[in-house]
Amino acid sequence: MVQTALIWGLGAAMALIYLRSGRPVRSVLGSAISGGICLWLVRATSALTGITLALNGASAFFALLLGAPGVISLAVLRGILNV
């Protein structure tokens, strides 16, 4: 229940940010592309860095919605929490 509310809140906040940018479609696409590339780079360099991110719904959601900062946050949390 809390996770669902958190995801909806995050989605609403990002929608506001995208809408206020003046070019919402361009902002969403730019964020999604940069997030996808960053997620791919983290997964491609996992043998060197030791940080692996599973490709599941949650990681794809954060990568595509938040972009590069979302992937970096996932990697940092993965390193700190070691989960």
Side-chain angles (χ1 to χ4, degrees):
M1 180 72 174
V2 174
Q3 294 171 343
T4 304
L6 180 65
I7 289 173
W8 278 103
L10 183 62
M14 290 307 296
L16 282 173
I17 290 171
Y18 290 144
L19 289 174
R20 295 183 86 192
S21 71
R23 294 183 170 158
V25 174
R26 185 176 180 182
S27 296
V28 170
L29 288 176
S31 176
I33 290 171
S34 69
I37 290 171
C38 284
L39 184 60
W40 178 79
L41 285 173
V42 168
R43 290 181 50 83
T45 61
S46 64
L48 298 172
T49 63
I51 297 175
T52 58
L53 293 177
L55 186 57
N56 55 27
S59 63
F61 173 78
F62 283 110
L64 296 179
L65 184 67
L66 297 176
V71 175
I72 293 168
S73 298
L74 285 173
V76 168
L77 287 173
R78 174 77 178 183
I80 291 172
L81 298 177
N82 200 17
V83 289

